Amino acid sequence: SGVYNIGSVYLTSIQEIIKTISVKYGIKGQYKNAVPSSADILADGFYADISRIKKDAAWQPKINIKRGIDKTVESFGEI
């Protein structure tokens, strides 16, 4: 029991996520960087530490970040 991180084991920058969403869904415009977190400063991106859920539940990610974004948007209906 407890809290588990679920995500990719690959480092993904915020800019990559924004670009993926913008290109995929035809969103044009500019964005402003907010104050970066310590993870962004140190690694220019982030990833989820999934070691605990891998150990406790033998869980592994089955889709990549682009498919994950698509599935998330689909679950909301539209962007």
Side-chain angles (χ1 to χ4, degrees):
S1 74
V3 176
Y4 293 98
N5 287 322
I6 297 177
S8 172
V9 295
Y10 299 105
L11 181 68
T12 305
S13 72
I14 301 297
Q15 288 78 15
E16 275 183 83
I17 294 172
I18 292 169
K19 182 179 177 184
T20 298
I21 293 169
S22 298
V23 169
K24 173 77 178 175
Y25 297 99
I27 300 170
K28 297 183 193 258
Q30 296 180 342
Y31 68 92
K32 248 200 259 192
N33 282 337
V35 176
S37 70
S38 59
D40 292 333
I41 292 169
L42 294 174
D44 193 29
F46 61 93
Y47 68 95
D49 178 358
I50 63 170
S51 59
R52 186 164 177 235
I53 196 165
K54 282 173 69 174
K55 178 180 164 259
D56 292 354
W59 183 86
Q60 287 280 14
K62 294 180 181 169
I63 61 174
N64 65 29
I65 189 76
K66 289 180 181 181
R67 183 66 184 127
I69 290 169
D70 288 344
K71 289 179 76 65
T72 300
V73 171
E74 288 169 11
S75 75
F76 288 118
E78 63 181 60
I79 223 171

